[in-house]
Amino acid sequence: LPETGLVCILGESGSGKTTLMNTISGLDNFSDGIIEVDGKKITKFGSKIQEQVRNEKFGYIFQNYYLLMDRTVEYNLQLGLSLYNLSDQEKEERIDYVLKAVDMWRYKKRQVAHLSGGQQQRVAIARALAAKPAILLADEPTGNLDSKTSQDVLGLLKVTSKRFHQTIVMITHNEEIAQMADRILQIEDGKIVSDSGLV
């Protein structure tokens, strides 16, 4: 995959999209093949190299958000940044930047439980962007968003991929959403059947 740009893995439900993404990220096992990230080769699940690459390189936008519902938007983002050696000021600046980018800054102090599903999705996206990972994996990131907001979010992901020098790998079953990607990998029954677009 390229060093920057938005890559979409497109396929119907059950085609193997999520399994592929989870395997790449180290959340699922694999029995054959090699994953290589920036020259580091991973040949087995659970290896020290895999853990190191996952912690250093990957960020995630999960379909189910995994936000702390009884905490504020700001707290959820702070928690996501707590693993990194950043000053309080750097954390604050990153949080403000990404919340403004996804149009959620005014909800910074609001409890997540009091947000709509679409707003929670934006918070999940902001949390992932705040860490500035080299590779951002997004599982149906626009699943709960209306058409206009979906386009806005994908536009944001494309811009941040260039600005932060990120590769964003997104899975979706929505062909219209996929057309916004720089590159589309279509998957059927666990196999890539087409590869279109250049970054």
Side-chain angles (χ1 to χ4, degrees), residues 38-51:
D38 286 345
K40 291 186 178 178
K41 291 185 179 180
I42 301 163
T43 57
K44 64 179 182 177
F45 182 78
S47 67
K48 287 184 179 179
I49 293 175
Q50 186 185 44
E51 294 297 319

Side-chain angles (χ1 to χ4, degrees), residues 5-199:
L6 178 60
V7 178
C8 178
I9 299 173
L10 174 67
E12 298 297 323
S13 295
S15 61
K17 304 184 304 294
T18 299
T19 299
L20 177 59
M21 176 174 285
N22 288 346
T23 303
I24 292 169
S25 65
L27 298 177
D28 272 355
N29 205 347
F30 65 99
S31 57
D32 191 23
I34 295 170
I35 298 169
E36 184 174 329
V37 182
D38 286 345
K40 291 186 178 178
K41 291 185 179 180
I42 301 163
T43 57
K44 64 179 182 177
F45 182 78
S47 67
K48 287 184 179 179
I49 293 175
Q50 186 185 44
E51 294 297 319
Q52 180 185 7
V53 167
R54 180 169 61 187
N55 293 336
E56 290 178 0
K57 301 288 184 183
F58 290 109
Y60 307 90
I61 302 171
F62 293 105
Q63 195 172 10
N64 297 322
Y65 316 146
Y66 296 114
L67 298 168
L68 297 177
M69 303 300 284
D70 61 342
R71 299 288 190 155
T72 65
V73 168
E74 181 180 32
Y75 181 89
N76 274 271
L77 269 68
Q78 285 173 341
L79 191 62
L81 291 175
S82 63
L83 299 172
Y84 303 93
N85 186 23
L86 301 170
S87 68
D88 288 344
Q89 182 179 342
E90 285 175 308
K91 289 177 185 176
E92 192 74 16
E93 287 172 357
R94 285 199 191 187
I95 288 169
D96 285 344
Y97 173 77
V98 295
L99 286 178
K100 286 174 183 174
V102 298
D103 196 25
M104 287 297 292
W105 186 76
R106 65 185 177 276
Y107 300 104
K108 182 177 173 181
K109 303 292 185 183
R110 187 166 296 185
Q111 197 176 61
V112 172
H114 297 149
L115 300 175
S116 69
Q119 289 170 330
Q120 290 175 19
Q121 179 69 300
R122 291 194 207 187
V123 173
I125 291 168
R127 179 184 57 190
L129 290 173
K132 297 184 182 178
I135 303 161
L136 184 57
L137 303 169
D139 186 354
E140 300 277 4
T142 60
N144 293 319
L145 305 179
D146 59 47
S147 179
K148 183 187 182 308
T149 307
S150 294
Q151 291 180 357
D152 290 347
V153 166
L154 288 179
L156 168 68
L157 291 177
K158 287 185 77 166
V159 168
T160 57
S161 77
K162 305 291 190 224
R163 182 174 297 159
F164 296 140
H165 204 67
Q166 291 173 312
T167 302
I168 298 176
V169 182
M170 173 185 75
I171 66 171
T172 185
H173 65 275
N174 187 321
E175 291 191 25
E176 185 179 344
I177 291 297
Q179 297 309 311
M180 292 187 68
D182 300 303
R183 181 178 177 189
I184 303 170
L185 301 172
Q186 187 153 6
I187 191 168
E188 290 178 9
D189 298 324
K191 297 185 185 306
I192 293 173
V193 294
S194 69
D195 181 351
S196 61
L198 295 173
V199 176

